[in-house]
Amino acid sequence: MEFDLIVKGGRLPDGRGADIGIKGDRIAAIEPRLDAPAGRVVDATGNLVAPPFVDPHFHMDATLSYGLPRINASGTLLEGIALWGELKPSLTHEAVKRRALAYCDWAVSMGLLAIRSHVDTCDDRLLAVEALLEVRKEVASVIDLQLVAFPQDGYYRSPTARQNTLRALDMGVEVVGGIPHFERTMEDGRRSVTELCEVAAARGLMVDMHCDETDDPLSRHIEQLAFEAQRLGLQGRVAGSHLTSMHSMDNYYVSKLLPLMAEAGVAAIPNPLINIVLQGRHDTYPKRRGMTRVPEMLKAGIRVGFGQDCVLDPWYSLGTADMLDVAFMGLHVGQMTSPADMKRCFDMVTAESAAIMGLADYGLEVGRKASLVVLDAGDPVEAVRLRAARLCVVAAGKVVSERDAAHARLSLPGRPGSVSRRFSRDV
Ligand code: FE2
């Protein structure tokens, strides 16, 4: 068989050595060794070859707007929302699209080829929705961009959010969002979860809500989300994003809650970088970090994917589209330091998040879409440790980004001329 591209000599995340043969946009063969002719060979000798990174939680309508119109002085979630509200009236279709496309370029260079982005529907113009629908189309050959209709200012609290969210779904936004903890009352929050899940069930859509993004241990909308997922037969199609209140909840209550989430097939999407930055801002010491209970959820059989949430926007002043940064922070805050847990952190920014997004064509298997990333690391744990360079990114069978390995040149008498931070027991 002749291939268009062979990625040669790499190591898969499970440790197998393999050559990957690609024809058109499909993976045609995965074998220990492929000697067939190929249009191009990418040398991945000794390097990790992984499926692409996946970000299951992002805000592409706000990204790269840092400093517009001013900087978040308190660093809180609520000032971020207020700041976004100040910026919203001055947004233009062109500027939102330009920033989103610039971010997509960053994402491609980092091997991040699937993104679920929330898009604010609390703007009667639905300008960001239109802009991101165009972006979704323009990047489709490279990035799987999935959009969530997100009533940022509250589905009931914002007077036109309800009709605008439904309009956004009519326009082709494919996931139903919500923000129950931002409604005026707990009861409104509860009702919003019910109504939005009913909308999703009626339209055959997935659900991903910003849920309990607060330090208030009594914010328990996740309970209602799990109930509705079960009642409406939405198992496997519902995610609760953030879930930071769970950090502060009563332990006994959580021992009841986690099995309910598992039973209802509700996934969790913590956002480690943002959660530890935004939460606990009203505390003195000890200061809570707001990260939800990831190891406990995994143990209960709940699917968990790590999201990035924000890059250079009203809520977060850093970020580089690097999902390994996200995994690195998640690993630390969750104290997930066993070899199995560290590997799991890599999975949570790749395969687990792809499963949450429902990406059926994802993964390094014959017949699937030929998208992958070659990393300057020997295995997933080393990739997280190094936040390893993406040496080559392949999207749907085409090489879309390449860079040199990260070797520093040294000038130290009697020492080697260059140094790599890759680990070898021979040292
Ligand atoms: Fe978010």
Side-chain angles (χ1 to χ4, degrees):
M1 190 195 281
E2 192 167 328
F3 299 102
D4 297 319
L5 176 68
I6 293 181
V7 178
K8 216 164 179 41
R11 295 213 156 269
L12 304 181
D14 63 11
R16 276 181 298 151
D19 290 354
I20 299 177
I22 293 166
K23 263 178 100 74
D25 66 350
R26 299 283 121 187
I27 296 175
I30 302 179
E31 302 286 345
R33 194 185 160 100
L34 288 173
D35 289 316
R40 180 169 177 194
V41 174
V42 170
D43 180 10
T45 306
N47 292 319
L48 173 64
V49 178
F53 292 102
V54 179
D55 183 358
H57 189 115
F58 195 61
H59 294 264
M60 206 178 273
D61 49 356
T63 196
L64 307 192
S65 68
Y66 179 65
L68 295 176
R70 60 182 177 82
I71 282 160
N72 183 338
S74 68
T76 60
L77 170 69
L78 295 180
E79 184 174 342
I81 293 175
L83 184 47
W84 174 240
E86 289 169 35
L87 174 59
K88 247 192 286 193
S90 64
L91 289 178
T92 66
H93 180 101
E94 292 69 29
V96 170
K97 202 171 157 183
R98 195 177 60 244
R99 290 193 283 260
L101 287 170
Y103 180 78
C104 286
D105 290 343
W106 290 12
V108 169
S109 76
M110 301 306 267
L112 170 53
L113 302 185
I115 302 171
R116 174 182 277 182
S117 174
H118 295 254
V119 51
D120 189 356
T121 54
C122 293
D123 173 357
D124 292 342
R125 301 171 299 166
L126 289 184
L127 166 157
V129 173
E130 278 176 4
L132 290 194
L133 283 168
E134 286 180 21
V135 170
R136 185 177 75 183
K137 207 165 157 190
E138 286 179 31
V139 302
S141 63
V142 182
I143 296 177
D144 281 311
L145 176 57
Q146 194 175 70
L147 299 177
V148 186
F150 173 47
Q152 169 77 75
D153 300 329
Y155 189 62
Y156 297 133
R157 185 170 169 182
S158 170
T160 53
R162 192 166 175 275
Q163 74 197 52
N164 289 339
T165 302
L166 297 176
R167 259 175 67 212
L169 296 172
D170 289 340
M171 288 161 68
V173 172
E174 61 259 73
V175 183
V176 179
I179 186 164
H181 56 275
F182 197 68
E183 303 293 348
R184 287 198 171 87
T185 63
M186 289 287 185
E187 177 54 19
D188 273 2
R190 192 196 63 73
R191 283 198 305 120
S192 78
V193 171
T194 298
E195 184 176 334
L196 286 160
C197 285
E198 284 173 352
V199 167
R203 293 172 178 242
L205 300 177
M206 291 188 284
V207 176
D208 185 343
M209 289 196 193
H210 284 65
C211 196
D212 305 323
E213 190 183 3
T214 156
D215 293 317
D216 175 5
L218 295 178
S219 186
R220 295 176 170 187
H221 298 295
I222 181 59
E223 180 186 272
Q224 191 69 21
L225 190 61
F227 173 78
E228 297 299 349
Q230 183 95 18
R231 179 177 74 89
L232 296 163
L234 293 170
Q235 291 93 339
R237 288 162 49 195
V238 175
S241 280
H242 295 296
L243 305 177
T244 53
S245 73
M246 201 190 293
H247 186 96
S248 304
M249 279 175 184
D250 172 70
N251 289 333
Y252 186 86
Y253 174 71
V254 174
S255 76
K256 177 194 169 199
L257 176 65
L258 296 186
L260 287 173
M261 286 177 68
E263 198 179 291
V266 171
I269 306 175
N271 297 284
L273 293 166
I274 305 312
N275 296 153
I276 67 151
V277 160
L278 293 181
Q279 301 303 313
R281 291 275 180 162
H282 298 267
D283 292 358
T284 57
Y285 288 93
K287 226 182 239 292
R288 284 170 293 179
R289 278 311 196 216
M291 177 77 156
T292 195
R293 304 189 188 198
V294 176
E296 292 78 8
M297 286 198 278
L298 293 172
K299 210 168 160 196
I302 296 163
R303 196 184 285 285
V304 182
F306 282 146
Q308 183 167 224
D309 204 5
C310 303
V311 168
L312 291 165
D313 69 9
W315 297 273
Y316 190 55
S317 47
L318 299 169
T320 63
D322 187 349
M323 293 308 292
L324 288 173
D325 274 350
V326 176
F328 187 80
M329 182 60 77
L331 183 157
H332 282 78
V333 187
Q335 299 181 325
M336 297 181 65
T337 50
S338 73
D341 277 351
M342 291 195 287
K343 164 73 165 55
R344 200 87 186 247
C345 288
F346 184 86
D347 295 342
M348 287 193 280
V349 292
T350 52
E352 294 299 318
S353 288
I356 290 173
M357 285 179 64
L359 302 176
D361 213 13
Y362 176 93
L364 298 184
E365 283 183 37
V366 173
R368 300 262 173 95
K369 185 155 77 173
S371 294
L372 55 84
V373 53
V374 180
L375 291 132
D376 187 10
D379 58 50
V381 173
E382 189 165 59
V384 175
R385 179 175 70 83
L386 297 174
R387 272 82 81 221
R390 284 66 164 171
L391 302 176
C392 179
V393 180
V394 175
K398 297 206 166 47
V399 174
V400 290
S401 175
E402 292 171 274
R403 77 170 80 203
D404 297 331
H407 288 183
R409 286 184 302 283
L410 290 188
S411 303
L412 293 171
R415 299 297 302 159
S418 74
V419 66
S420 156
R421 296 175 300 145
R422 299 268 291 264
F423 177 64
S424 157
R425 291 189 194 280
D426 301 334
V427 170

